[in-house]
Amino acid sequence: STVIEPGVKESLQAIQGIQRIDALRSVEVDSPKGLVHIAATDNFTLGEERIYLESSVPENQIWDEMLTGSVIISEPLANRLGINGKNASIVLNTALGPQSFEVVGIYYDYASTQGTVTMALSVYQSFWQDQDITALGLRLLPDTDLDTVVQSVEKAIGDQQRLIVRPNQALRAEVLEVF
């Protein structure tokens, strides 16, 4: 997958209408039970944006738990690895050796049949020694013209790197068409 060039996020922060930018690192890692997909993010509202099958802490405390090394996992991954209930954990092979991560929530997810471990980007970076970013999520201020922001984004990063800019509305429309 494409890695976003350093400096792209900073270039985008100056664009009018962007409220915040969330970074994501999407990567496959090894575990004692085979390859596992990790989505590492700095999206601090993530805990409240998911719908949970179960969680061991209130949704508004999930991000704080993730910052200290806990993870949330998708229902397909929980099913595939037989993870359920309170006090669950998952072992992942990090750059620093095998590490056990407490699972504080299992969320519904229809995007992947293999499943995903979601963790705080800072935790991922410390255990895997990897500073790469795979995607950026732009959150716009209310009443911001989407087309204007897309054009500004393409203009701002055009000289740095060719990236695909996909508004959520287009993505949602494609998903609904599939369903």
Side-chain angles (χ1 to χ4, degrees), residues 1-166:
S1 63
T2 301
V3 172
I4 294 179
E5 297 288 333
V8 167
K9 185 176 180 182
E10 290 71 25
S11 297
L12 298 178
Q13 287 173 326
I15 295 175
Q16 193 168 6
I18 295 179
Q19 185 172 36
R20 79 175 210 234
I21 302 173
D22 298 326
L24 173 77
R25 177 64 169 142
S26 178
V27 66
E28 301 284 324
V29 302
D30 198 22
S31 81
K33 296 185 176 183
L35 285 179
V36 175
H37 177 253
I38 289 182
T41 183
D42 61 3
N43 173 6
F44 59 90
T45 55
L46 175 88
E48 298 167 61
E49 294 171 355
R50 297 272 188 253
I51 298 172
Y52 294 89
L53 174 67
E54 59 184 87
S55 64
S56 59
V57 297
E59 290 173 15
N60 64 352
Q61 293 175 21
I62 286 178
W63 182 249
D64 290 337
E65 293 292 322
M66 290 174 69
L67 286 174
T68 64
S70 295
V71 299
I72 58 176
I73 65 173
S74 67
E75 184 184 22
L77 183 67
N79 291 339
R80 182 167 69 97
L81 300 183
I83 297 172
N84 55 33
K86 307 270 190 255
N87 302 320
S89 64
I90 184 168
V91 175
L92 302 172
N93 297 334
T94 77
L96 306 177
Q99 177 70 34
S100 179
F101 296 90
E102 180 186 2
V103 175
V104 293
I106 299 172
Y107 62 92
Y108 293 103
D109 179 30
Y110 303 102
S112 162
T113 56
Q114 292 298 308
T116 300
V117 172
T118 303
M119 67 175 49
L121 183 61
S122 58
V123 171
Y124 168 79
Q125 290 171 333
S126 67
F127 280 103
W128 277 269
Q129 311 294 300
D130 175 11
Q131 301 298 311
D132 289 344
I133 299 298
T134 312
L136 296 171
L138 309 182
R139 296 182 186 241
L140 306 184
L141 292 166
D143 300 322
T144 299
D145 182 65
L146 180 61
D147 293 332
T148 302
V149 172
V150 169
Q151 289 172 358
S152 298
V153 166
E154 289 171 344
K155 184 178 177 186
I157 62 174
D159 292 339
Q160 289 177 291
Q161 184 175 14
R162 284 186 57 111
L163 295 174
I164 298 170
V165 180
R166 295 187 72 185

